[in-house]
Amino acid sequence: MTHQPTETPQFYLTAPAPCPYLAGRSERKVFTHLVGERAGALNDLLTQGGFRRSQNIAYRPACEGCRACVSIRCIVDAFTPTRSMARVMRRNRDLIGAGVTASPSSDQYNLFRRYLDSRHAEGGMSDMSVLDYAMMVGESYVDTEVVEYRFRGPDTAITGHGEGPLIATALTDVLADGLSMVYSFYDPDYSDRSLGTYMILDHIGRARKMGLPYVYLGYWVEGSPKMDYKRRFRPQEHLMARGWLRVD
């Protein structure tokens, strides 16, 4: 009898559920667990193959007859911000992001809760408790960090950290070939600052300083208005049937 190694990943398929992006369609996902000493290497490999991480699960769409979800990544060295992106950077130059250990805090959860209630009250994450949030941030076997954005203070040049209330947060995986933005959220009172765009621009700058070629932005879904923003960060690569294809 042939025995499978205990660290060989096992993949599973979910039952059909309503698609959160395209009305009238259903979705299925294939997923596996990211646990053990090889979780980081597996996360790298699967992310490069179009998977996304949620807690200790790596998943990707496996919908019958639909390939609308396209995994995309920004090409860091070739990226040049548009005029509107440059304005976003100037508008937020009084903020600074500090990478900290991926550990949940009450400040993070309070901001997360306000963001969901304001922007995604009917979404799939709307009923997440503080324990759910703690598991999302703190229970990870891969190299991940939290980037906390606050206003610059008089000691920022020394400490590298901001001061005052938490304005925005990004949960980010550090991969061998890039940064993968797992989830980000911000204070809805500052929605005029385009903080979602700002955090992506900041991560592109972070990846450039780290010598990493890509920032993974998750899935772009043609026909879904809430996904259109991801197409703005060009040049980028789309994962197609024959591999990653550059889109300028």
Short mmCIF file of all heavy atoms in Angstrom, two decimals, residues 183-240:
data_model
loop_
_atom_site.label_atom_id
_atom_site.label_comp_id
_atom_site.label_asym_id
_atom_site.label_seq_id
_atom_site.Cartn_x
_atom_site.Cartn_y
_atom_site.Cartn_z
N TYR A 183 -5.63 41.53 3.31
CA TYR A 183 -6.84 42.30 3.60
C TYR A 183 -6.42 43.66 4.14
O TYR A 183 -5.44 43.77 4.90
CB TYR A 183 -7.73 41.59 4.62
CG TYR A 183 -9.13 42.16 4.69
CD1 TYR A 183 -10.06 41.85 3.71
CD2 TYR A 183 -9.51 43.02 5.71
CE1 TYR A 183 -11.34 42.39 3.74
CE2 TYR A 183 -10.79 43.55 5.76
CZ TYR A 183 -11.70 43.24 4.76
OH TYR A 183 -12.97 43.78 4.79
N SER A 184 -7.15 44.71 3.76
CA SER A 184 -6.87 46.05 4.26
C SER A 184 -8.18 46.76 4.58
O SER A 184 -9.23 46.47 3.99
CB SER A 184 -6.06 46.86 3.24
OG SER A 184 -6.75 46.97 2.01
N PHE A 185 -8.11 47.69 5.52
CA PHE A 185 -9.29 48.44 5.93
C PHE A 185 -8.85 49.77 6.50
O PHE A 185 -7.67 49.98 6.83
CB PHE A 185 -10.13 47.66 6.95
CG PHE A 185 -9.34 47.10 8.11
CD1 PHE A 185 -9.27 47.79 9.31
CD2 PHE A 185 -8.70 45.87 8.02
CE1 PHE A 185 -8.55 47.30 10.40
CE2 PHE A 185 -7.98 45.36 9.09
CZ PHE A 185 -7.91 46.07 10.28
N TYR A 186 -9.79 50.72 6.59
CA TYR A 186 -9.43 52.06 7.01
C TYR A 186 -10.61 52.76 7.68
O TYR A 186 -11.75 52.30 7.63
CB TYR A 186 -8.93 52.88 5.81
CG TYR A 186 -9.91 52.94 4.66
CD1 TYR A 186 -10.94 53.87 4.62
CD2 TYR A 186 -9.80 52.05 3.59
CE1 TYR A 186 -11.84 53.93 3.57
CE2 TYR A 186 -10.69 52.09 2.53
CZ TYR A 186 -11.70 53.03 2.52
OH TYR A 186 -12.59 53.08 1.49
N ASP A 187 -10.31 53.90 8.29
CA ASP A 187 -11.31 54.70 8.99
C ASP A 187 -12.24 55.35 7.96
O ASP A 187 -11.78 56.14 7.13
CB ASP A 187 -10.61 55.78 9.83
CG ASP A 187 -11.56 56.51 10.76
OD1 ASP A 187 -12.77 56.60 10.44
OD2 ASP A 187 -11.09 57.00 11.81
N PRO A 188 -13.53 55.04 7.98
CA PRO A 188 -14.45 55.63 6.99
C PRO A 188 -14.56 57.14 7.09
O PRO A 188 -14.98 57.79 6.13
CB PRO A 188 -15.79 54.95 7.31
CG PRO A 188 -15.66 54.43 8.70
CD PRO A 188 -14.22 54.11 8.89
N ASP A 189 -14.16 57.74 8.21
CA ASP A 189 -14.19 59.19 8.33
C ASP A 189 -13.16 59.86 7.42
O ASP A 189 -13.23 61.07 7.18
CB ASP A 189 -13.93 59.62 9.78
CG ASP A 189 -15.10 59.30 10.70
OD1 ASP A 189 -16.20 59.00 10.18
OD2 ASP A 189 -14.91 59.32 11.94
N TYR A 190 -12.20 59.08 6.92
CA TYR A 190 -11.16 59.62 6.05
C TYR A 190 -11.29 59.07 4.63
O TYR A 190 -10.30 58.96 3.91
CB TYR A 190 -9.77 59.29 6.60
CG TYR A 190 -9.46 59.95 7.93
CD1 TYR A 190 -9.69 59.28 9.13
CD2 TYR A 190 -8.96 61.25 7.99
CE1 TYR A 190 -9.41 59.89 10.35
CE2 TYR A 190 -8.68 61.85 9.19
CZ TYR A 190 -8.91 61.16 10.38
OH TYR A 190 -8.63 61.77 11.57
N SER A 191 -12.50 58.78 4.22
CA SER A 191 -12.72 58.18 2.91
C SER A 191 -12.30 59.12 1.78
O SER A 191 -12.00 58.66 0.67
CB SER A 191 -14.19 57.79 2.74
OG SER A 191 -15.04 58.91 2.91
N ASP A 192 -12.26 60.44 2.03
CA ASP A 192 -11.86 61.38 0.99
C ASP A 192 -10.37 61.30 0.68
O ASP A 192 -9.89 61.90 -0.29
CB ASP A 192 -12.23 62.81 1.39
CG ASP A 192 -11.55 63.27 2.67
OD1 ASP A 192 -11.27 62.41 3.53
OD2 ASP A 192 -11.31 64.47 2.81
N ARG A 193 -9.60 60.57 1.46
CA ARG A 193 -8.17 60.43 1.25
C ARG A 193 -7.81 59.28 0.29
O ARG A 193 -6.63 59.09 0.00
CB ARG A 193 -7.45 60.21 2.59
CG ARG A 193 -7.32 61.44 3.45
CD ARG A 193 -6.68 61.08 4.79
NE ARG A 193 -6.34 62.27 5.57
CZ ARG A 193 -5.10 62.74 5.71
NH1 ARG A 193 -4.09 62.13 5.10
NH2 ARG A 193 -4.85 63.80 6.45
N SER A 194 -8.78 58.50 -0.16
CA SER A 194 -8.51 57.34 -1.04
C SER A 194 -7.48 56.42 -0.39
O SER A 194 -6.46 56.06 -1.00
CB SER A 194 -8.02 57.81 -2.41
OG SER A 194 -8.96 58.65 -3.04
N LEU A 195 -7.77 56.01 0.84
CA LEU A 195 -6.79 55.25 1.61
C LEU A 195 -6.55 53.85 1.04
O LEU A 195 -5.44 53.31 1.20
CB LEU A 195 -7.23 55.16 3.07
CG LEU A 195 -7.16 56.48 3.84
CD1 LEU A 195 -7.83 56.36 5.19
CD2 LEU A 195 -5.70 56.92 4.01
N GLY A 196 -7.54 53.27 0.38
CA GLY A 196 -7.31 51.98 -0.26
C GLY A 196 -6.24 52.08 -1.33
O GLY A 196 -5.32 51.24 -1.39
N THR A 197 -6.34 53.09 -2.17
CA THR A 197 -5.32 53.34 -3.19
C THR A 197 -3.98 53.65 -2.55
O THR A 197 -2.92 53.15 -2.98
CB THR A 197 -5.74 54.51 -4.10
OG1 THR A 197 -6.92 54.14 -4.82
CG2 THR A 197 -4.64 54.88 -5.08
N TYR A 198 -4.00 54.48 -1.52
CA TYR A 198 -2.75 54.85 -0.84
C TYR A 198 -2.02 53.63 -0.28
O TYR A 198 -0.78 53.53 -0.42
CB TYR A 198 -3.06 55.84 0.28
CG TYR A 198 -1.89 56.08 1.20
CD1 TYR A 198 -0.77 56.78 0.76
CD2 TYR A 198 -1.89 55.60 2.51
CE1 TYR A 198 0.32 56.99 1.60
CE2 TYR A 198 -0.81 55.81 3.35
CZ TYR A 198 0.29 56.49 2.89
OH TYR A 198 1.37 56.69 3.72
N MET A 199 -2.73 52.71 0.32
CA MET A 199 -2.07 51.54 0.90
C MET A 199 -1.43 50.67 -0.18
O MET A 199 -0.34 50.11 0.02
CB MET A 199 -3.05 50.73 1.74
CG MET A 199 -3.33 51.35 3.09
SD MET A 199 -4.29 50.29 4.21
CE MET A 199 -5.95 50.59 3.60
N ILE A 200 -2.07 50.54 -1.33
CA ILE A 200 -1.46 49.79 -2.43
C ILE A 200 -0.20 50.49 -2.90
O ILE A 200 0.85 49.86 -3.10
CB ILE A 200 -2.46 49.60 -3.58
CG1 ILE A 200 -3.63 48.72 -3.14
CG2 ILE A 200 -1.75 48.98 -4.80
CD1 ILE A 200 -4.72 48.56 -4.19
N LEU A 201 -0.25 51.81 -3.09
CA LEU A 201 0.92 52.57 -3.51
C LEU A 201 2.04 52.43 -2.49
O LEU A 201 3.22 52.29 -2.85
CB LEU A 201 0.56 54.04 -3.70
CG LEU A 201 -0.41 54.35 -4.85
CD1 LEU A 201 -0.86 55.80 -4.78
CD2 LEU A 201 0.23 54.04 -6.20
N ASP A 202 1.70 52.49 -1.22
CA ASP A 202 2.70 52.33 -0.17
C ASP A 202 3.33 50.94 -0.23
O ASP A 202 4.55 50.80 -0.05
CB ASP A 202 2.06 52.57 1.20
CG ASP A 202 3.06 52.44 2.33
OD1 ASP A 202 3.98 53.28 2.40
OD2 ASP A 202 2.94 51.49 3.13
N HIS A 203 2.53 49.90 -0.50
CA HIS A 203 3.08 48.55 -0.59
C HIS A 203 3.97 48.38 -1.81
O HIS A 203 4.96 47.63 -1.76
CB HIS A 203 1.95 47.52 -0.60
CG HIS A 203 1.47 47.14 0.78
ND1 HIS A 203 0.83 48.03 1.61
CD2 HIS A 203 1.58 45.97 1.47
CE1 HIS A 203 0.54 47.41 2.75
NE2 HIS A 203 1.00 46.18 2.70
N ILE A 204 3.64 49.06 -2.90
CA ILE A 204 4.53 49.02 -4.06
C ILE A 204 5.89 49.62 -3.69
O ILE A 204 6.95 49.08 -4.04
CB ILE A 204 3.89 49.76 -5.25
CG1 ILE A 204 2.65 49.00 -5.74
CG2 ILE A 204 4.90 49.93 -6.39
CD1 ILE A 204 1.83 49.75 -6.77
N GLY A 205 5.86 50.73 -2.96
CA GLY A 205 7.11 51.33 -2.49
C GLY A 205 7.86 50.42 -1.53
O GLY A 205 9.10 50.32 -1.59
N ARG A 206 7.14 49.74 -0.66
CA ARG A 206 7.78 48.82 0.28
C ARG A 206 8.44 47.66 -0.45
O ARG A 206 9.58 47.26 -0.14
CB ARG A 206 6.75 48.29 1.28
CG ARG A 206 6.29 49.30 2.30
CD ARG A 206 5.11 48.80 3.12
NE ARG A 206 4.74 49.79 4.11
CZ ARG A 206 5.28 49.90 5.31
NH1 ARG A 206 6.20 49.03 5.69
NH2 ARG A 206 4.92 50.85 6.14
N ALA A 207 7.72 47.10 -1.42
CA ALA A 207 8.28 45.98 -2.19
C ALA A 207 9.52 46.42 -2.95
O ALA A 207 10.51 45.67 -3.03
CB ALA A 207 7.22 45.44 -3.15
N ARG A 208 9.50 47.63 -3.50
CA ARG A 208 10.67 48.14 -4.23
C ARG A 208 11.88 48.23 -3.31
O ARG A 208 13.00 47.83 -3.68
CB ARG A 208 10.34 49.49 -4.86
CG ARG A 208 11.46 50.05 -5.72
CD ARG A 208 11.03 51.35 -6.38
NE ARG A 208 10.09 51.12 -7.46
CZ ARG A 208 8.88 51.64 -7.54
NH1 ARG A 208 8.44 52.44 -6.57
NH2 ARG A 208 8.09 51.40 -8.56
N LYS A 209 11.68 48.75 -2.11
CA LYS A 209 12.79 48.86 -1.15
C LYS A 209 13.31 47.49 -0.73
O LYS A 209 14.49 47.34 -0.42
CB LYS A 209 12.33 49.65 0.08
CG LYS A 209 12.10 51.13 -0.18
CD LYS A 209 11.63 51.83 1.07
CE LYS A 209 11.36 53.31 0.81
NZ LYS A 209 10.86 54.00 2.04
N MET A 210 12.43 46.49 -0.70
CA MET A 210 12.82 45.14 -0.30
C MET A 210 13.40 44.33 -1.46
O MET A 210 13.83 43.19 -1.26
CB MET A 210 11.61 44.41 0.29
CG MET A 210 11.06 45.05 1.55
SD MET A 210 9.44 44.36 2.06
CE MET A 210 9.96 42.71 2.60
N GLY A 211 13.39 44.90 -2.67
CA GLY A 211 13.90 44.19 -3.82
C GLY A 211 12.97 43.09 -4.31
O GLY A 211 13.42 42.14 -4.96
N LEU A 212 11.68 43.23 -4.04
CA LEU A 212 10.70 42.23 -4.44
C LEU A 212 9.99 42.69 -5.72
O LEU A 212 9.59 43.85 -5.82
CB LEU A 212 9.67 42.01 -3.33
CG LEU A 212 10.25 41.48 -2.00
CD1 LEU A 212 9.18 41.45 -0.93
CD2 LEU A 212 10.84 40.08 -2.20
N PRO A 213 9.80 41.81 -6.69
CA PRO A 213 9.30 42.23 -8.00
C PRO A 213 7.80 42.46 -8.10
O PRO A 213 7.35 43.12 -9.04
CB PRO A 213 9.74 41.10 -8.94
CG PRO A 213 9.84 39.90 -8.06
CD PRO A 213 10.30 40.42 -6.73
N TYR A 214 7.00 41.93 -7.18
CA TYR A 214 5.54 41.99 -7.36
C TYR A 214 4.81 42.40 -6.08
O TYR A 214 5.28 42.17 -4.97
CB TYR A 214 4.99 40.63 -7.80
CG TYR A 214 5.60 40.08 -9.06
CD1 TYR A 214 6.42 38.95 -9.03
CD2 TYR A 214 5.38 40.69 -10.30
CE1 TYR A 214 6.99 38.44 -10.19
CE2 TYR A 214 5.94 40.19 -11.46
CZ TYR A 214 6.75 39.07 -11.40
OH TYR A 214 7.31 38.57 -12.55
N VAL A 215 3.64 43.00 -6.30
CA VAL A 215 2.64 43.16 -5.24
C VAL A 215 1.39 42.45 -5.73
O VAL A 215 0.81 42.83 -6.76
CB VAL A 215 2.34 44.64 -4.93
CG1 VAL A 215 1.14 44.74 -3.98
CG2 VAL A 215 3.56 45.31 -4.32
N TYR A 216 0.98 41.42 -5.02
CA TYR A 216 -0.20 40.63 -5.39
C TYR A 216 -1.45 41.32 -4.85
O TYR A 216 -1.55 41.62 -3.65
CB TYR A 216 -0.10 39.22 -4.81
CG TYR A 216 0.94 38.35 -5.50
CD1 TYR A 216 2.30 38.42 -5.17
CD2 TYR A 216 0.56 37.45 -6.50
CE1 TYR A 216 3.24 37.63 -5.81
CE2 TYR A 216 1.50 36.65 -7.14
CZ TYR A 216 2.83 36.75 -6.79
OH TYR A 216 3.78 35.96 -7.43
N LEU A 217 -2.41 41.55 -5.75
CA LEU A 217 -3.62 42.31 -5.41
C LEU A 217 -4.87 41.44 -5.35
O LEU A 217 -5.98 41.98 -5.22
CB LEU A 217 -3.82 43.43 -6.42
CG LEU A 217 -2.70 44.48 -6.49
CD1 LEU A 217 -3.01 45.51 -7.57
CD2 LEU A 217 -2.51 45.16 -5.14
N GLY A 218 -4.73 40.14 -5.46
CA GLY A 218 -5.91 39.28 -5.40
C GLY A 218 -6.57 39.14 -6.75
O GLY A 218 -5.90 39.12 -7.79
N TYR A 219 -7.90 39.09 -6.76
CA TYR A 219 -8.64 38.83 -7.99
C TYR A 219 -9.27 40.10 -8.55
O TYR A 219 -9.79 40.93 -7.81
CB TYR A 219 -9.74 37.80 -7.72
CG TYR A 219 -9.21 36.48 -7.24
CD1 TYR A 219 -9.55 35.99 -5.98
CD2 TYR A 219 -8.34 35.72 -8.02
CE1 TYR A 219 -9.05 34.79 -5.52
CE2 TYR A 219 -7.83 34.52 -7.57
CZ TYR A 219 -8.18 34.05 -6.32
OH TYR A 219 -7.67 32.87 -5.87
N TRP A 220 -9.18 40.19 -9.87
CA TRP A 220 -9.93 41.19 -10.60
C TRP A 220 -11.05 40.46 -11.33
O TRP A 220 -10.83 39.39 -11.92
CB TRP A 220 -9.05 41.92 -11.62
CG TRP A 220 -9.83 42.72 -12.60
CD1 TRP A 220 -10.57 43.84 -12.34
CD2 TRP A 220 -9.98 42.46 -14.00
NE1 TRP A 220 -11.17 44.30 -13.49
CE2 TRP A 220 -10.82 43.46 -14.53
CE3 TRP A 220 -9.50 41.48 -14.86
CZ2 TRP A 220 -11.18 43.51 -15.87
CZ3 TRP A 220 -9.84 41.52 -16.20
CH2 TRP A 220 -10.68 42.53 -16.69
N VAL A 221 -12.25 41.01 -11.25
CA VAL A 221 -13.43 40.39 -11.86
C VAL A 221 -14.04 41.37 -12.85
O VAL A 221 -14.60 42.40 -12.45
CB VAL A 221 -14.47 39.98 -10.80
CG1 VAL A 221 -15.66 39.29 -11.46
CG2 VAL A 221 -13.84 39.08 -9.74
N GLU A 222 -13.92 41.08 -14.13
CA GLU A 222 -14.51 41.94 -15.14
C GLU A 222 -16.03 41.96 -14.98
O GLU A 222 -16.66 40.91 -14.84
CB GLU A 222 -14.15 41.47 -16.55
CG GLU A 222 -14.61 42.40 -17.64
CD GLU A 222 -14.08 42.04 -19.01
OE1 GLU A 222 -13.51 40.94 -19.14
OE2 GLU A 222 -14.25 42.85 -19.94
N GLY A 223 -16.60 43.15 -14.96
CA GLY A 223 -18.04 43.28 -14.76
C GLY A 223 -18.44 43.52 -13.32
O GLY A 223 -19.61 43.74 -13.04
N SER A 224 -17.45 43.51 -12.40
CA SER A 224 -17.73 43.81 -10.99
C SER A 224 -17.15 45.18 -10.67
O SER A 224 -15.93 45.35 -10.57
CB SER A 224 -17.09 42.75 -10.08
OG SER A 224 -17.25 43.10 -8.71
N PRO A 225 -18.00 46.21 -10.49
CA PRO A 225 -17.51 47.58 -10.27
C PRO A 225 -16.57 47.70 -9.08
O PRO A 225 -15.62 48.49 -9.12
CB PRO A 225 -18.79 48.38 -10.05
CG PRO A 225 -19.86 47.61 -10.77
CD PRO A 225 -19.48 46.17 -10.59
N LYS A 226 -16.80 46.92 -8.01
CA LYS A 226 -15.96 47.08 -6.83
C LYS A 226 -14.56 46.50 -7.02
O LYS A 226 -13.70 46.67 -6.16
CB LYS A 226 -16.63 46.43 -5.61
CG LYS A 226 -16.86 44.94 -5.69
CD LYS A 226 -17.59 44.47 -4.44
CE LYS A 226 -17.91 42.98 -4.46
NZ LYS A 226 -18.63 42.54 -3.25
N MET A 227 -14.32 45.83 -8.15
CA MET A 227 -12.99 45.30 -8.45
C MET A 227 -12.24 46.13 -9.48
O MET A 227 -11.07 45.87 -9.75
CB MET A 227 -13.11 43.85 -8.95
CG MET A 227 -13.53 42.86 -7.90
SD MET A 227 -12.24 42.67 -6.66
CE MET A 227 -12.91 41.33 -5.69
N ASP A 228 -12.89 47.11 -10.08
CA ASP A 228 -12.29 47.87 -11.19
C ASP A 228 -11.00 48.58 -10.77
O ASP A 228 -10.10 48.75 -11.60
CB ASP A 228 -13.28 48.89 -11.74
CG ASP A 228 -14.33 48.26 -12.64
OD1 ASP A 228 -14.13 47.09 -13.03
OD2 ASP A 228 -15.34 48.92 -12.95
N TYR A 229 -10.91 49.01 -9.52
CA TYR A 229 -9.75 49.80 -9.10
C TYR A 229 -8.43 49.05 -9.28
O TYR A 229 -7.37 49.65 -9.49
CB TYR A 229 -9.91 50.23 -7.64
CG TYR A 229 -9.72 49.12 -6.64
CD1 TYR A 229 -8.48 48.90 -6.04
CD2 TYR A 229 -10.77 48.28 -6.27
CE1 TYR A 229 -8.29 47.89 -5.12
CE2 TYR A 229 -10.60 47.27 -5.36
CZ TYR A 229 -9.37 47.07 -4.78
OH TYR A 229 -9.19 46.06 -3.89
N LYS A 230 -8.46 47.73 -9.22
CA LYS A 230 -7.23 46.95 -9.30
C LYS A 230 -6.56 47.07 -10.66
O LYS A 230 -5.34 46.90 -10.79
CB LYS A 230 -7.50 45.49 -8.97
CG LYS A 230 -7.97 45.27 -7.53
CD LYS A 230 -8.15 43.80 -7.23
CE LYS A 230 -8.63 43.61 -5.79
NZ LYS A 230 -8.76 42.19 -5.42
N ARG A 231 -7.34 47.36 -11.69
CA ARG A 231 -6.80 47.47 -13.04
C ARG A 231 -5.95 48.73 -13.22
O ARG A 231 -5.24 48.86 -14.21
CB ARG A 231 -7.95 47.48 -14.05
CG ARG A 231 -8.69 46.17 -14.19
CD ARG A 231 -8.08 45.33 -15.28
NE ARG A 231 -8.34 45.92 -16.59
CZ ARG A 231 -7.80 45.46 -17.72
NH1 ARG A 231 -6.97 44.45 -17.68
NH2 ARG A 231 -8.07 46.03 -18.88
N ARG A 232 -6.01 49.66 -12.28
CA ARG A 232 -5.32 50.94 -12.45
C ARG A 232 -3.82 50.83 -12.17
O ARG A 232 -3.06 51.71 -12.58
CB ARG A 232 -5.94 51.98 -11.52
CG ARG A 232 -7.42 52.26 -11.79
CD ARG A 232 -8.02 53.10 -10.68
NE ARG A 232 -7.24 54.29 -10.41
CZ ARG A 232 -6.98 54.76 -9.19
NH1 ARG A 232 -7.44 54.14 -8.13
NH2 ARG A 232 -6.27 55.86 -9.03
N PHE A 233 -3.39 49.78 -11.48
CA PHE A 233 -2.00 49.69 -11.05
C PHE A 233 -1.19 48.93 -12.11
O PHE A 233 -0.87 47.75 -11.96
CB PHE A 233 -1.92 49.03 -9.67
CG PHE A 233 -2.65 49.82 -8.62
CD1 PHE A 233 -4.01 49.60 -8.38
CD2 PHE A 233 -2.00 50.81 -7.90
CE1 PHE A 233 -4.69 50.34 -7.42
CE2 PHE A 233 -2.68 51.56 -6.94
CZ PHE A 233 -4.02 51.32 -6.71
N ARG A 234 -0.84 49.65 -13.18
CA ARG A 234 -0.16 49.05 -14.33
C ARG A 234 1.27 49.57 -14.45
O ARG A 234 1.56 50.67 -13.98
CB ARG A 234 -0.95 49.36 -15.60
CG ARG A 234 -2.37 48.84 -15.59
CD ARG A 234 -2.98 48.97 -16.95
NE ARG A 234 -4.40 48.58 -16.96
CZ ARG A 234 -5.10 48.41 -18.08
NH1 ARG A 234 -4.54 48.59 -19.26
NH2 ARG A 234 -6.36 48.05 -18.02
N PRO A 235 2.12 48.78 -15.11
CA PRO A 235 1.81 47.48 -15.72
C PRO A 235 1.60 46.41 -14.65
O PRO A 235 2.13 46.51 -13.54
CB PRO A 235 3.06 47.19 -16.57
CG PRO A 235 4.15 47.92 -15.87
CD PRO A 235 3.53 49.16 -15.31
N GLN A 236 0.82 45.42 -15.03
CA GLN A 236 0.53 44.32 -14.14
C GLN A 236 0.51 43.03 -14.93
O GLN A 236 0.54 43.04 -16.16
CB GLN A 236 -0.80 44.54 -13.42
CG GLN A 236 -1.99 44.71 -14.33
CD GLN A 236 -3.26 45.10 -13.57
OE1 GLN A 236 -4.33 44.60 -13.87
NE2 GLN A 236 -3.13 46.01 -12.60
N GLU A 237 0.49 41.93 -14.23
CA GLU A 237 0.40 40.63 -14.87
C GLU A 237 -0.88 39.93 -14.45
O GLU A 237 -1.28 40.02 -13.27
CB GLU A 237 1.62 39.76 -14.53
CG GLU A 237 2.91 40.29 -15.10
CD GLU A 237 4.10 39.40 -14.79
OE1 GLU A 237 3.95 38.43 -14.02
OE2 GLU A 237 5.20 39.67 -15.32
N HIS A 238 -1.54 39.28 -15.41
CA HIS A 238 -2.74 38.50 -15.16
C HIS A 238 -2.40 37.02 -15.33
O HIS A 238 -1.73 36.65 -16.30
CB HIS A 238 -3.85 38.87 -16.14
CG HIS A 238 -4.35 40.27 -15.96
ND1 HIS A 238 -5.47 40.76 -16.61
CD2 HIS A 238 -3.91 41.29 -15.19
CE1 HIS A 238 -5.67 42.02 -16.25
NE2 HIS A 238 -4.74 42.36 -15.40
N LEU A 239 -2.88 36.19 -14.42
CA LEU A 239 -2.63 34.75 -14.52
C LEU A 239 -3.67 34.13 -15.46
O LEU A 239 -4.85 34.07 -15.15
CB LEU A 239 -2.70 34.09 -13.14
CG LEU A 239 -2.37 32.60 -13.11
CD1 LEU A 239 -0.98 32.33 -13.67
CD2 LEU A 239 -2.49 32.06 -11.69
N MET A 240 -3.20 33.68 -16.61
CA MET A 240 -4.05 33.07 -17.61
C MET A 240 -3.72 31.59 -17.74
O MET A 240 -2.88 31.06 -17.00
CB MET A 240 -3.87 33.79 -18.96
CG MET A 240 -3.94 35.31 -18.86
SD MET A 240 -5.47 35.94 -18.11
CE MET A 240 -6.65 35.60 -19.44
#
